[in-house]
Amino acid sequence: MIIQLNQTVNEEIVATLLKRLAATPATVIRIGTHVAVPEVNQVTLMADEAAQVAEIIEKTPAAVLGSRLFQPEDTIIKLPHSTIGGKGGFTMMAGPCSVESEEHVRRMAKVVKEGGATLLRGGAYKPRTSPYSFQGLGEDGLKYLRAAADENGMDVITEVMDETHVDLIAKYTDVFQIGARNMQNFSLLKAVGKTKVPVALKRGLAGTIDDLLNASEYIAAGGNHQIMLLERGIRTFDNKYTRNTFDLAAVPVLQKLTHYPVIVDPSHAVGEWDLVTPMAHAGVASGASGMIVEIHDDPEHAFSDGPQALKPKTYLKMTKEVFELKELMNSWEA
Ligand code: PEP
Ligand code: MN
């Protein structure tokens, strides 16, 4: 059940109502004028309580806190150098797949910034298919990434793979990335849900849209409502020419269902650098709030995901086009 309160309420009466519901017993979560009581679907209100309530929605989706029914307004995530979500904006996030060295990430950060990105990406803890592949530089990588972002006035997004690393990574990052392989790592979701660090949750390789929304609910239920969802391609029957299938219809579908910003990742979706630009165009056209993309100046020798990395020149052309497209789209809305 969702209880939508009036814009101005008598706080004392509301507190009594919520206390009464909690004692039934039930979980009661209030964010501003929105109240969710997930396990309850009916309530009888006293006259003074009813006067505080704008609407009661009895039938609610499982991922209630993330739903538009609960919060019709877009979630907007504000970082020191970036705003993610809301109408009209488009947030670019870019960087190498892995932080490879202090010098390399600094060099890439300059290019990333030049392309109009406000977040620098780079993995210091890498989820690799093989245990013998490069696993990341760990805390040293976090230090290099943070320094490179600070030097260029950018925010940091980096992956957290393990709940035991949450506190350490929180010291260096502005956004936790939860990778596709960890979308349903519930203990990790609960752990980041207890922090105040925004979370970028990637759709799992075989994750349905409801799986993604329910996974995000684990983070929200813990008290962290600064969530963005990343479409990065899913496994379907054909992966001969693209690494994954880029499910761009998921963007408007998610935007209808949830208030969280939706970000596209054309790099992991297609897996080949020459397919990234056309799908980046398609990504912005789908209405996403932003994009995350991988770059490298020497892709043949990249420590991970070289084949999908854009070289600096291609990246700069792509971002210019993407921002132009976004501007054109904004002119349609005006
Ligand atoms: C990455 O961002 O480098 C990554 C490993 O992504 P995903 O979890 O989408 O595979
Ligand atoms: Mn990668």
Side-chain angles (χ1 to χ4, degrees):
M1 173 176 74
I2 293 167
I3 304 173
Q4 299 293 9
L5 300 171
N6 290 328
Q7 286 307 319
T8 48
V9 290
N10 179 319
E11 286 297 340
E12 228 167 279
I13 298 171
V14 169
T16 315
L17 166 63
L18 301 190
K19 222 165 150 188
R20 184 156 64 81
L21 284 165
T24 56
T27 310
V28 178
I29 303 162
R30 178 181 176 185
I31 303 174
T33 57
H34 315 307
V35 179
V37 196
E39 309 110 301
V40 177
N41 40 33
Q42 258 182 338
V43 62
T44 311
L45 297 176
M46 319 280 179
D48 58 347
E49 291 168 347
Q52 316 304 316
V53 172
E55 190 188 5
I56 293 190
I57 304 164
E58 290 179 354
K59 214 170 161 308
T60 59
V64 59
L65 299 177
S67 74
R68 286 269 184 205
L69 283 176
F70 177 72
Q71 182 187 309
E73 319 86 53
D74 291 337
T75 284
I76 299 176
I77 299 170
K78 291 205 164 86
L79 305 174
H81 307 284
S82 323
T83 300
I84 307 160
K87 293 266 167 293
F90 194 81
T91 310
M92 188 63 71
M93 317 177 193
C97 177
S98 299
V99 178
E100 299 186 357
S101 70
E102 182 174 16
E103 201 274 322
H104 184 257
V105 76
R106 280 180 82 182
R107 203 160 68 235
M108 290 304 93
K110 285 196 174 55
V111 178
V112 166
K113 172 84 176 186
E114 196 187 332
T118 54
L119 283 100
L120 178 65
R121 66 146 290 147
Y125 295 88
K126 296 302 302 175
R128 305 306 301 280
T129 303
S130 162
Y132 308 115
S133 301
F134 176 64
Q135 302 288 308
L137 295 180
E139 188 170 4
D140 283 345
L142 296 173
K143 286 181 183 158
Y144 305 154
L145 183 66
R146 181 76 260 169
D150 289 345
E151 204 174 283
N152 291 280
M154 285 188 287
D155 302 307
V156 163
I157 173 170
T158 196
E159 177 159 356
V160 54
M161 272 174 51
D162 191 302
E163 54 180 304
T164 61
H165 290 157
V166 166
D167 292 341
L168 171 76
I169 297 178
K171 285 198 258 168
Y172 296 96
T173 201
D174 298 289
V175 178
F176 283 132
Q177 175 178 316
I178 304 279
R181 290 155 193 82
N182 269 322
M183 184 194 78
Q184 286 185 318
N185 181 339
F186 298 118
S187 35
L188 179 60
L189 298 174
K190 283 180 185 170
V192 296
K194 286 195 204 118
T195 73
K196 292 190 174 7
V197 179
V199 181
L201 177 64
K202 287 190 137 190
R203 184 174 179 186
L205 276 68
T208 66
I209 285 174
D210 280 344
D211 290 339
L212 177 61
L213 291 171
N214 284 317
S216 71
E217 194 74 3
Y218 270 85
I219 303 167
N224 187 348
H225 307 291
Q226 299 206 82
I227 298 169
M228 63 192 103
L229 304 175
L230 269 65
E231 167 56 42
R232 48 78 74 201
I234 49 172
R235 281 267 166 91
T236 62
F237 54 86
D238 191 352
N239 64 356
K240 187 170 171 189
Y241 302 102
T242 59
R243 186 174 178 182
N244 292 293
T245 298
F246 200 10
D247 182 12
L248 281 179
V251 176
V253 169
L254 283 167
Q255 286 171 334
K256 197 158 58 172
L257 297 173
T258 178
H259 47 82
Y260 299 135
V262 183
I263 309 297
V264 288
D265 173 349
S267 304
H268 292 87
V270 297
E272 295 286 337
W273 73 269
D274 60 330
L275 304 176
V276 170
T277 295
M279 296 321 289
H281 295 159
V284 66
S286 74
S289 291
M291 178 176 298
I292 185 161
V293 70
E294 291 188 346
I295 69 162
H296 204 285
D297 54 354
D298 183 10
E300 290 76 28
H301 297 103
F303 290 8
S304 58
D305 282 349
Q308 70 196 28
L310 296 181
K311 286 189 180 171
K313 213 171 127 195
T314 317
Y315 161 75
L316 293 173
K317 183 170 184 294
M318 181 279 285
T319 52
K320 185 174 173 288
E321 292 166 357
V322 160
F323 284 122
E324 277 177 25
L325 257 172
K326 184 63 192 172
E327 228 169 88
L328 176 66
M329 289 171 69
N330 285 343
S331 76
W332 301 336
E333 313 262 320

